[in-house]
Amino acid sequence: VNFAIFFLQYMSGQDQLFFKLFGLVPKDIWSSFMIWQPISYLFFHGSIWHVLINMFVLWMFGSEMENIWGRSEFLKYYFLTGVGSGLIWLLVNAGNSAIILIGASGAVYGVLLAYGLMFPNRTVLLYFIIPVKVKWLVIFLGVVAFLSSMTATSNISHLAHLSGMAIGYIYLKYSHYWKGLSINFRRKVVNIKSQVEERKEQRRTMLKQEMNQILDKMNQSGYQGLGDYEKERLQEISQLLSEEEKKD
């Protein structure tokens, strides 16, 4: 998808138009409500090398993570780190209307962090030449991103890189906690639904009991033997029970 979008973007010759519409632009998020930008910015890249390097790293480290986690979990993690890093960058640069953030780097750095935590002692060839353990590569890139984010002398968003790694670390470190919260939330929702159903059933039972009492009286003395209130009440109960059955 990233390569396809880059190809269309390149062939159109309208890079800047695409970047303003689909990149992450602080002034447009706040003023024009372009709420798709925190997601769409991940799919646009500034140059062929930008998309090639990002996709190479994603393939190299992300393929194995996807095999381990499964596609849905991997995509959830990818977009969590990608969108999350974009939102952090957006908050930091809220007052700067002259910059645009594009590229999947935040998500790719998140994937790289996950791979480093999963396989810290694996060896990769840096620049296809220098053997280095993954944990040292991840630490080095994290330190570079942190130090670079302190300055504004580069067009590369090191803050987004650092944010992607930080979000990934927090998510993976405390994923059991978030899953616990999710389970508790779902359990509470189920409990609330069961309580609502229980109350509805109790109310239905009481209505049926009241209706049976009126019907018993009617069997003994006939419909004319019912008082005006009992006649109206019998009609109301019948209508209420009929409406509840339709809802169910």
Side-chain angles (χ1 to χ4, degrees), residues 88-89 92-93 141-154 156-163:
I88 291 175
W89 177 90
V92 172
N93 293 280
L141 291 174
V143 170
V144 169
F146 175 74
L147 294 176
S148 301
S149 66
M150 299 294 103
T151 67
T153 58
S154 172
I156 301 172
S157 179
H158 297 287
L159 175 62
H161 299 172
L162 181 64
S163 299

Side-chain angles (χ1 to χ4, degrees), residues 166-231:
I167 292 170
Y169 179 81
I170 293 170
Y171 175 78
L172 294 174
K173 192 74 173 176
Y174 300 100
S175 59
H176 63 282
Y177 174 73
W178 307 124
K179 287 177 182 177
L181 285 181
S182 177
I183 291 170
N184 287 334
F185 176 75
R186 288 198 295 268
R187 186 183 295 125
K188 287 182 179 179
V189 170
V190 170
N191 288 338
I192 291 171
K193 285 183 177 179
S194 64
Q195 288 173 5
V196 170
E197 288 299 322
E198 187 177 343
R199 290 195 191 100
K200 285 172 65 177
E201 189 59 35
Q202 288 175 351
R203 181 170 177 269
R204 192 180 292 123
T205 301
M206 291 175 65
L207 288 173
K208 286 181 178 179
Q209 288 176 348
E210 186 179 355
M211 184 172 69
N212 287 335
Q213 290 174 356
I214 298 174
L215 290 174
D216 288 341
K217 183 177 179 181
M218 187 176 72
N219 288 333
Q220 293 174 0
S221 57
Y223 183 75
Q224 297 302 324
L226 299 178
D228 292 339
Y229 172 77
E230 290 171 323
K231 292 177 182 177

Side-chain angles (χ1 to χ4, degrees), residues 56-66 74 108 111-112 115-116 119 124 134 137:
F56 174 73
V57 175
L58 180 61
W59 166 79
M60 183 175 180
F61 298 103
S63 298
E64 191 163 3
M65 298 308 302
E66 183 182 13
F74 178 80
V108 169
V111 171
L112 183 60
Y115 190 89
F119 308 105
V124 295
V134 174
L137 175 63

